[in-house]
Amino acid sequence: MDDALARPEVAGVVIAHGTDTMEETAYWLDLTVKSNKPVILIGAQRNASSPDFDGPRNLLNAIRIATTPEAVGQGVMLAMNNQINAARTVTKTHTGNVETFKSGDFGFIGEVWDDKVVFSRTALRRQHIDIGSAEMPRVEILAMFGGADGSLLRYAVDQGAKGIVVQAVGMGNMNVSMYEAVKYALGRGVPVVIATRVPNGRTMPLYGFVGGGKTTFDAGAVMAGDLSPQKARLLLMLKLHQGVSDKAGLQAAFDR
């Protein structure tokens, strides 16, 4: 993609993508594409046989965004339902509604009004990570839920996972069994990042009970902050690929 964006006649790139994992592809590209030219992902919530098929409008809007000078430097974006969302914050919130992609507390960064593209803010929390040809390390997501015993987390470590993201509850909390499994991973040199299943807010080292965010952080885990579990996995994977596996280095990446 960088080769295409380097061509002087190319203003930007538009990618048609299925909506289920679009936010992951968008964030991956936002982390790895070197060019500051706009990259826009689009999809559709209605199929082509529906009278209100939204695909053509989303595609047209994406082309308008890609050719708008203000889009330069905004990074990778999603253009759906006349709204522009930044790759880092956007997530799919509804299985069928056309207004499915939202950025929670942060809001979208712009809109398309007929043929006019209007940006209201800039995506600031961005970083670039160079990638090579080596295979990406295996990083798994394990969920905390009522009654979780941590066995799947231990199994992932035993099967060769190089990193773990825990989808915790609240601000990054878990029960004692999951906490012990996190310590099991950390004790074997496998970095653990704590994200949350809650759509808005962030994980923080706040609660001091066994399994609370503070105890897991003190044990060596990294806080994902406001990154979703699926995006935390991508950032952890890329940092491990880059050779960063220590807590301080990983936490600095998640705090950016």
Side-chain angles (χ1 to χ4, degrees):
M1 185 178 298
D2 278 311
D3 290 340
L5 289 168
R7 292 160 51 188
E9 72 273 19
V10 174
V13 167
V14 174
I15 301 172
H17 197 292
T19 60
D20 288 342
T21 58
M22 188 188 297
E23 64 199 73
E24 293 175 62
T25 300
Y27 188 52
W28 176 272
L29 292 173
D30 196 54
L31 289 169
T32 59
V33 171
K34 298 177 182 178
S35 175
N36 68 344
K37 292 180 180 179
V39 176
I40 302 99
L41 277 74
I42 60 105
Q45 285 289 90
R46 302 282 188 265
N47 64 60
S49 62
S50 298
D52 55 348
F53 179 39
D54 55 326
R57 171 59 65 90
N58 292 333
L59 177 58
L60 177 59
N61 285 345
I63 294 171
R64 286 170 171 158
I65 297 165
T67 55
T68 298
E70 290 78 11
V72 175
Q74 289 281 8
V76 179
M77 296 164 274
L78 266 70
M80 297 275 291
N81 199 44
N82 293 346
Q83 298 171 346
I84 309 168
N85 282 281
R88 188 185 189 281
T89 55
V90 69
T91 192
K92 187 173 183 178
T93 65
H94 196 285
T95 58
N97 198 309
V98 293
E99 194 177 2
T100 180
F101 285 101
K102 299 181 181 181
S103 291
D105 293 336
F106 304 97
F108 49 80
I109 62 173
E111 298 175 277
V112 181
W113 288 87
D114 197 12
D115 62 348
K116 186 175 180 61
V117 178
V118 180
F119 282 97
S120 56
R121 68 179 181 90
T122 299
L124 296 177
R125 296 189 63 189
R126 300 184 58 230
Q127 56 184 303
H128 174 75
I129 301 174
D130 287 317
I131 57 174
S133 57
E135 184 178 351
M136 288 292 159
R138 175 183 167 191
V139 176
E140 300 288 352
I141 301 174
L142 283 305
M144 165 59 199
F145 51 88
D149 63 4
S151 60
L152 292 178
L153 197 159
R154 294 172 185 266
Y155 179 78
V157 172
D158 293 342
Q159 291 299 306
K162 302 304 181 184
I164 298 290
V165 174
V166 175
Q167 179 181 287
V169 296
M171 289 187 181
N173 307 315
M174 62 194 72
N175 62 20
V176 175
S177 296
M178 282 292 284
Y179 170 68
E180 292 297 333
V182 166
K183 291 201 299 180
Y184 178 85
L186 293 169
R188 283 153 182 76
V190 178
V192 178
V193 174
I194 309 300
T196 179
R197 70 183 186 184
V198 182
N200 293 302
R202 60 192 303 111
T203 55
M204 297 177 63
L206 182 62
Y207 290 101
F209 59 83
V210 178
K214 186 178 187 306
T215 57
T216 54
F217 182 77
D218 290 345
V222 172
M223 291 289 143
D226 54 26
L227 274 183
S228 66
Q230 56 269 30
K231 291 180 182 177
R233 172 182 172 269
L234 298 177
L235 181 55
L236 177 57
M237 184 186 301
L238 285 167
K239 294 307 291 185
L240 291 175
H241 177 76
Q242 199 178 42
V244 179
S245 60
D246 63 291
K247 178 181 176 179
L250 290 174
Q251 191 63 67
F254 279 90
D255 287 343
R256 286 188 62 179

